[in-house]
Amino acid sequence: MPLYEQQTVKVTNSLTGRKETFNPLKKGYIGMYVCGPTVYSNVHLGNCRTFISFDMIFRYFKHLGFKVRYVRNITDAGHLENDADDGEDKIAKKAKLEQLEPMEVVQRYTVDFHDTLKKFNLLPPSIEPTATGHIIEQIEIIKEILGKGFAYEKNGSVYFDVVKFNASHEYGKLSGRKLEDMIANTRELAAQDEKKNPQDFALWKKAEPQHIMRWPSPWGDGFPGWHLECTAMSTKYLGENFDIHGGGMDLKFPHHECEIAQAEASNGKSPVNYWLHANMLTLNGKKMSKSTGNNIYPSEMFSGKNAILSKAFPPSVVRFFMMQAHYTSILDLSDSALLASEKGYHKLMEAYSAISQLPTGPTSDFDVKAWTQQCYNAMNDDFNTPILIAHLFDAVKRINLIKEGKETITEADKNELSNTFNSFVFDVLGLEDQSTSDGNSQTMEGVVNLLIDLRNQARANKDFETSDKIRDELTALGIQLKDGKDGTTFSIN
RNA sequence: GGCAUCGUGGCCGAGUGGCUAGGCACAGCUCUGCAAAAGCUUGUACAGCGGUUCGAAUCCGCUCGAUGCCUCCA
């Protein structure tokens, strides 16, 4: 029996604002779409949090035995710089600034995106489609919407008619907005002459002669509007109605609202059953922003070359730090918070590596079965990773007590403890034990063990000057010696 | 100005109508040649003001503050 038949997952659905029991459209299968990055600059840490959150969700569903098709797009065209201007898009603008071909920009930042996510140990999605690879599909959807009368053409551009759509549908249901309020609160904007209403959004934008990224269409040369690609690609790979759509909170409005409108206008169906939104990452309590300098790139964090943090932090520590907060909460990144997480992370990893050496006995003081189910309960409750981690630390405490001979565990319980711990820490949370992952660890282990022997000899001879020198210099190199009842072990930080 | 989310102990962060997560830091103890590591113990917090209730940090109202969106943004 697959695990998903034993565990019931609840998710916070942004569409209803409630926590709901998750039931996929087809038993055992899940279709999940997550809005990917716009590849016009290096991916920053805030972006990473969203993708890490959904990676954890993807991993948990897979762990439960679901067959998941996870689609995460690459936006390589179509985001308008400013829809009041002449229709230049972000990719094209950057290309001109750097004297590059648009696709050269796309390539560079796509590679950066993949490299970075790989460092954070993200699983690749099932399909990673690009906007430029789905121009035809987008044009077809525009035709559908025009045919249903929910869009209009003006000077080679096509706009979605929000007011008309709202008369028969509910525009704003995801973000809790009402069109009347939005019209009443419209800001003074520059000329919006082509649009009937400021709330209308572009489905297709006419390309000016100097515009490099352009495709032919029934309305002339141009490029697709900024919400359309996700509707085209999610429909193509997951169907007109699918299980989960995710993305950052900041995409809820207008992006996801417009996706719902486009899908409902073109095929009459509400596209998504469960909308999941990952919350923002702030830095020292403030929004990350390049213009104010309150911003950090993953590479700066891994190298320690930045003005914000006191030291370098490896990807797994950063991932662990993120997993200590719920994905729907705003998380604030700071040096002290990362330092605290790093210690906790090492404690967790060391407890895991201690499991295999644990002595076993005829009885267990630790109810491993109940503990295992508690771990599932935490994840079933809207992927509550902070609670899961709290349970993992309960196990850490027990492992250390057993190691010290203060409690006992049976062979069978030890195996289950090891399996559950392994599943949740590595498969579900996606953490990596970075001290064991480097290739020189065997050599290193031999060298350090030799030094430990020398130190112990010195200690036996009461030559504490030598023994302390070995200990202190190893500490300075990031190698910590641990004197226990059964000899000395070490860990590398 | 509008919409939304949120305000928890020294810090980070869960949770929730009564049984007071977890991590880090701090203090004491055990262990140690001294430390570190590990373990044990202590610390009763939920922005403010009203209200509902036998009982609220948890529900309602107001005030203040934060963050996000309303223009591209994970």
Side-chain angles (χ1 to χ4, degrees), chain A residues 195-224:
Chain A
K195 290 188 192 177
K196 285 192 200 168
N197 295 289
Q199 283 69 37
D200 293 350
F201 55 90
L203 295 173
W204 188 262
K205 198 77 182 158
K206 180 187 178 177
E208 298 302 319
Q210 71 274 18
H211 201 94
I212 317 170
M213 281 193 131
R214 59 199 300 143
W215 292 267
S217 81
W219 316 283
D221 280 9
F223 53 95

CSV table of all heavy atoms in Angstrom, one decimal, chain A residues 195-224:
chain,number,residue,atom,x,y,z
A,195,LYS,N,-5.6,51.0,-24.0
A,195,LYS,CA,-6.4,50.2,-23.2
A,195,LYS,C,-7.8,50.8,-22.9
A,195,LYS,O,-7.8,52.1,-22.7
A,195,LYS,CB,-5.8,49.9,-21.8
A,195,LYS,CG,-4.6,49.0,-21.8
A,195,LYS,CD,-4.2,48.8,-20.4
A,195,LYS,CE,-2.8,48.2,-20.2
A,195,LYS,NZ,-2.5,48.0,-18.8
A,196,LYS,N,-8.8,50.0,-22.9
A,196,LYS,CA,-10.1,50.6,-22.5
A,196,LYS,C,-10.1,51.0,-21.0
A,196,LYS,O,-10.8,51.9,-20.6
A,196,LYS,CB,-11.2,49.5,-22.7
A,196,LYS,CG,-11.6,49.3,-24.2
A,196,LYS,CD,-12.8,48.4,-24.2
A,196,LYS,CE,-13.0,47.7,-25.6
A,196,LYS,NZ,-14.1,46.7,-25.5
A,197,ASN,N,-9.5,50.2,-20.2
A,197,ASN,CA,-9.4,50.4,-18.8
A,197,ASN,C,-8.0,50.1,-18.3
A,197,ASN,O,-7.4,49.2,-18.8
A,197,ASN,CB,-10.4,49.5,-18.0
A,197,ASN,CG,-11.9,49.8,-18.4
A,197,ASN,OD1,-12.4,50.8,-18.0
A,197,ASN,ND2,-12.4,48.9,-19.2
A,198,PRO,N,-7.6,50.8,-17.2
A,198,PRO,CA,-6.3,50.6,-16.7
A,198,PRO,C,-6.1,49.1,-16.2
A,198,PRO,O,-5.0,48.7,-16.2
A,198,PRO,CB,-6.1,51.6,-15.5
A,198,PRO,CG,-7.2,52.6,-15.7
A,198,PRO,CD,-8.3,51.9,-16.5
A,199,GLN,N,-7.2,48.5,-15.8
A,199,GLN,CA,-7.0,47.1,-15.3
A,199,GLN,C,-6.8,46.1,-16.4
A,199,GLN,O,-6.4,45.0,-16.1
A,199,GLN,CB,-8.3,46.7,-14.5
A,199,GLN,CG,-8.4,47.4,-13.1
A,199,GLN,CD,-8.6,48.9,-13.2
A,199,GLN,OE1,-9.3,49.4,-14.0
A,199,GLN,NE2,-8.0,49.6,-12.3
A,200,ASP,N,-7.1,46.5,-17.6
A,200,ASP,CA,-6.8,45.5,-18.7
A,200,ASP,C,-5.3,45.2,-18.8
A,200,ASP,O,-4.5,46.0,-18.5
A,200,ASP,CB,-7.3,46.1,-20.0
A,200,ASP,CG,-8.8,46.3,-20.1
A,200,ASP,OD1,-9.5,45.8,-19.1
A,200,ASP,OD2,-9.4,47.0,-21.0
A,201,PHE,N,-5.0,44.0,-19.3
A,201,PHE,CA,-3.6,43.7,-19.4
A,201,PHE,C,-3.4,43.1,-20.8
A,201,PHE,O,-4.3,42.6,-21.5
A,201,PHE,CB,-3.2,42.7,-18.3
A,201,PHE,CG,-4.0,41.4,-18.2
A,201,PHE,CD1,-3.7,40.3,-18.9
A,201,PHE,CD2,-5.1,41.4,-17.4
A,201,PHE,CE1,-4.4,39.1,-18.8
A,201,PHE,CE2,-5.9,40.2,-17.3
A,201,PHE,CZ,-5.6,39.1,-18.0
A,202,ALA,N,-2.1,43.2,-21.2
A,202,ALA,CA,-1.7,42.8,-22.6
A,202,ALA,C,-1.7,41.3,-22.7
A,202,ALA,O,-1.1,40.6,-21.9
A,202,ALA,CB,-0.4,43.4,-22.9
A,203,LEU,N,-2.3,40.8,-23.8
A,203,LEU,CA,-2.1,39.4,-24.1
A,203,LEU,C,-1.0,39.3,-25.2
A,203,LEU,O,-0.3,38.3,-25.3
A,203,LEU,CB,-3.4,38.8,-24.7
A,203,LEU,CG,-4.6,38.7,-23.7
A,203,LEU,CD1,-5.9,38.3,-24.3
A,203,LEU,CD2,-4.2,37.7,-22.5
A,204,TRP,N,-1.0,40.3,-26.1
A,204,TRP,CA,0.0,40.3,-27.2
A,204,TRP,C,0.3,41.8,-27.4
A,204,TRP,O,-0.5,42.7,-27.3
A,204,TRP,CB,-0.6,39.8,-28.5
A,204,TRP,CG,0.4,39.7,-29.6
A,204,TRP,CD1,0.6,40.6,-30.6
A,204,TRP,CD2,1.3,38.6,-29.7
A,204,TRP,NE1,1.6,40.1,-31.4
A,204,TRP,CE2,2.1,38.9,-30.9
A,204,TRP,CE3,1.6,37.4,-29.0
A,204,TRP,CZ2,3.1,38.1,-31.3
A,204,TRP,CZ3,2.6,36.6,-29.5
A,204,TRP,CH2,3.4,37.0,-30.6
A,205,LYS,N,1.6,42.0,-27.5
A,205,LYS,CA,2.1,43.4,-27.6
A,205,LYS,C,2.8,43.6,-29.0
A,205,LYS,O,3.7,42.8,-29.3
A,205,LYS,CB,3.1,43.6,-26.4
A,205,LYS,CG,3.3,45.1,-26.1
A,205,LYS,CD,2.2,45.7,-25.4
A,205,LYS,CE,2.6,47.2,-25.2
A,205,LYS,NZ,1.4,48.1,-24.9
A,206,LYS,N,2.5,44.6,-29.6
A,206,LYS,CA,3.1,44.9,-30.9
A,206,LYS,C,4.6,45.3,-30.7
A,206,LYS,O,4.9,46.0,-29.8
A,206,LYS,CB,2.4,46.1,-31.6
A,206,LYS,CG,3.0,46.5,-32.9
A,206,LYS,CD,2.3,47.8,-33.4
A,206,LYS,CE,2.9,48.2,-34.7
A,206,LYS,NZ,2.3,49.4,-35.3
A,207,ALA,N,5.4,44.7,-31.6
A,207,ALA,CA,6.9,45.1,-31.5
A,207,ALA,C,7.2,46.3,-32.3
A,207,ALA,O,6.8,46.3,-33.5
A,207,ALA,CB,7.7,43.8,-31.9
A,208,GLU,N,7.9,47.2,-31.7
A,208,GLU,CA,8.3,48.4,-32.5
A,208,GLU,C,9.5,47.9,-33.4
A,208,GLU,O,10.1,46.8,-33.2
A,208,GLU,CB,8.9,49.4,-31.5
A,208,GLU,CG,7.8,50.0,-30.6
A,208,GLU,CD,6.6,50.6,-31.3
A,208,GLU,OE1,6.8,51.3,-32.4
A,208,GLU,OE2,5.5,50.4,-30.9
A,209,PRO,N,9.8,48.7,-34.5
A,209,PRO,CA,10.8,48.2,-35.4
A,209,PRO,C,12.1,47.8,-34.8
A,209,PRO,O,12.8,46.9,-35.2
A,209,PRO,CB,10.9,49.4,-36.3
A,209,PRO,CG,9.7,50.2,-36.2
A,209,PRO,CD,9.2,49.9,-34.8
A,210,GLN,N,12.5,48.6,-33.8
A,210,GLN,CA,13.8,48.3,-33.1
A,210,GLN,C,13.8,47.1,-32.2
A,210,GLN,O,14.8,46.7,-31.6
A,210,GLN,CB,14.3,49.6,-32.4
A,210,GLN,CG,13.6,49.9,-31.1
A,210,GLN,CD,12.4,50.8,-31.4
A,210,GLN,OE1,11.8,50.9,-32.5
A,210,GLN,NE2,11.9,51.4,-30.4
A,211,HIS,N,12.6,46.6,-31.9
A,211,HIS,CA,12.5,45.5,-31.0
A,211,HIS,C,13.1,44.2,-31.5
A,211,HIS,O,12.6,43.7,-32.6
A,211,HIS,CB,11.0,45.4,-30.6
A,211,HIS,CG,10.8,44.7,-29.3
A,211,HIS,ND1,10.7,45.4,-28.1
A,211,HIS,CD2,10.8,43.4,-29.0
A,211,HIS,CE1,10.5,44.5,-27.1
A,211,HIS,NE2,10.6,43.3,-27.6
A,212,ILE,N,14.0,43.6,-30.8
A,212,ILE,CA,14.7,42.4,-31.3
A,212,ILE,C,13.9,41.1,-31.2
A,212,ILE,O,13.8,40.3,-32.1
A,212,ILE,CB,16.0,42.2,-30.6
A,212,ILE,CG1,16.8,43.5,-30.5
A,212,ILE,CG2,16.9,41.2,-31.4
A,212,ILE,CD1,18.0,43.4,-29.6
A,213,MET,N,13.3,41.0,-30.0
A,213,MET,CA,12.5,39.7,-29.8
A,213,MET,C,11.1,39.9,-30.3
A,213,MET,O,10.3,40.7,-29.8
A,213,MET,CB,12.4,39.5,-28.3
A,213,MET,CG,13.7,38.9,-27.7
A,213,MET,SD,13.4,38.2,-26.0
A,213,MET,CE,14.1,36.6,-26.1
A,214,ARG,N,10.8,39.2,-31.4
A,214,ARG,CA,9.5,39.4,-32.1
A,214,ARG,C,9.1,38.1,-32.8
A,214,ARG,O,10.0,37.3,-33.3
A,214,ARG,CB,9.6,40.5,-33.0
A,214,ARG,CG,10.7,40.4,-34.1
A,214,ARG,CD,11.1,41.7,-34.8
A,214,ARG,NE,10.0,42.3,-35.4
A,214,ARG,CZ,9.8,43.6,-35.4
A,214,ARG,NH1,10.6,44.4,-34.8
A,214,ARG,NH2,8.7,44.1,-36.1
A,215,TRP,N,7.9,37.9,-32.9
A,215,TRP,CA,7.3,36.7,-33.6
A,215,TRP,C,6.1,37.2,-34.4
A,215,TRP,O,5.4,38.1,-34.0
A,215,TRP,CB,6.9,35.7,-32.6
A,215,TRP,CG,8.0,35.1,-31.8
A,215,TRP,CD1,8.6,33.9,-32.1
A,215,TRP,CD2,8.6,35.5,-30.6
A,215,TRP,NE1,9.6,33.6,-31.2
A,215,TRP,CE2,9.6,34.6,-30.2
A,215,TRP,CE3,8.4,36.6,-29.7
A,215,TRP,CZ2,10.4,34.7,-29.1
A,215,TRP,CZ3,9.2,36.8,-28.6
A,215,TRP,CH2,10.2,35.8,-28.3
A,216,PRO,N,5.9,36.5,-35.5
A,216,PRO,CA,4.7,36.9,-36.3
A,216,PRO,C,3.5,36.3,-35.7
A,216,PRO,O,3.5,35.3,-35.0
A,216,PRO,CB,5.0,36.2,-37.7
A,216,PRO,CG,5.9,35.0,-37.4
A,216,PRO,CD,6.8,35.5,-36.2
A,217,SER,N,2.4,37.1,-35.9
A,217,SER,CA,1.1,36.6,-35.3
A,217,SER,C,0.0,37.2,-36.2
A,217,SER,O,0.3,38.0,-37.1
A,217,SER,CB,0.9,37.2,-33.9
A,217,SER,OG,0.5,38.5,-34.0
A,218,PRO,N,-1.2,36.7,-36.0
A,218,PRO,CA,-2.4,37.3,-36.8
A,218,PRO,C,-2.5,38.8,-36.6
A,218,PRO,O,-3.2,39.4,-37.4
A,218,PRO,CB,-3.6,36.5,-36.2
A,218,PRO,CG,-3.0,35.3,-35.6
A,218,PRO,CD,-1.7,35.7,-35.1
A,219,TRP,N,-1.9,39.4,-35.6
A,219,TRP,CA,-2.1,40.8,-35.3
A,219,TRP,C,-0.8,41.6,-35.7
A,219,TRP,O,-0.6,42.7,-35.3
A,219,TRP,CB,-2.4,41.0,-33.9
A,219,TRP,CG,-3.5,40.0,-33.4
A,219,TRP,CD1,-4.8,40.1,-33.7
A,219,TRP,CD2,-3.2,38.8,-32.8
A,219,TRP,NE1,-5.4,38.9,-33.3
A,219,TRP,CE2,-4.5,38.1,-32.7
A,219,TRP,CE3,-2.1,38.1,-32.2
A,219,TRP,CZ2,-4.6,36.9,-32.1
A,219,TRP,CZ3,-2.3,36.9,-31.6
A,219,TRP,CH2,-3.5,36.3,-31.5
A,220,GLY,N,0.1,40.9,-36.4
A,220,GLY,CA,1.4,41.5,-36.7
A,220,GLY,C,2.5,41.0,-35.9
A,220,GLY,O,2.3,40.2,-35.0
A,221,ASP,N,3.7,41.5,-36.1
A,221,ASP,CA,4.9,41.1,-35.4
A,221,ASP,C,4.8,41.6,-33.9
A,221,ASP,O,4.5,42.8,-33.7
A,221,ASP,CB,6.2,41.6,-36.0
A,221,ASP,CG,6.6,40.7,-37.2
A,221,ASP,OD1,5.8,39.8,-37.6
A,221,ASP,OD2,7.7,40.9,-37.7
A,222,GLY,N,5.1,40.8,-33.0
A,222,GLY,CA,5.1,41.2,-31.6
A,222,GLY,C,5.6,40.2,-30.7
A,222,GLY,O,6.3,39.3,-31.1
A,223,PHE,N,5.1,40.3,-29.4
A,223,PHE,CA,5.5,39.3,-28.4
A,223,PHE,C,4.4,39.1,-27.4
A,223,PHE,O,3.6,40.0,-27.2
A,223,PHE,CB,6.9,39.7,-27.8
A,223,PHE,CG,6.9,41.1,-27.2
A,223,PHE,CD1,6.6,41.3,-25.9
A,223,PHE,CD2,7.2,42.2,-28.0
A,223,PHE,CE1,6.6,42.6,-25.3
A,223,PHE,CE2,7.2,43.5,-27.5
A,223,PHE,CZ,6.9,43.7,-26.2
A,224,PRO,N,4.4,38.0,-26.7
A,224,PRO,CA,3.3,37.7,-25.8
A,224,PRO,C,3.3,38.5,-24.5
A,224,PRO,O,4.4,38.9,-24.1
A,224,PRO,CB,3.4,36.2,-25.5
A,224,PRO,CG,4.9,35.9,-25.7
A,224,PRO,CD,5.3,36.8,-26.8
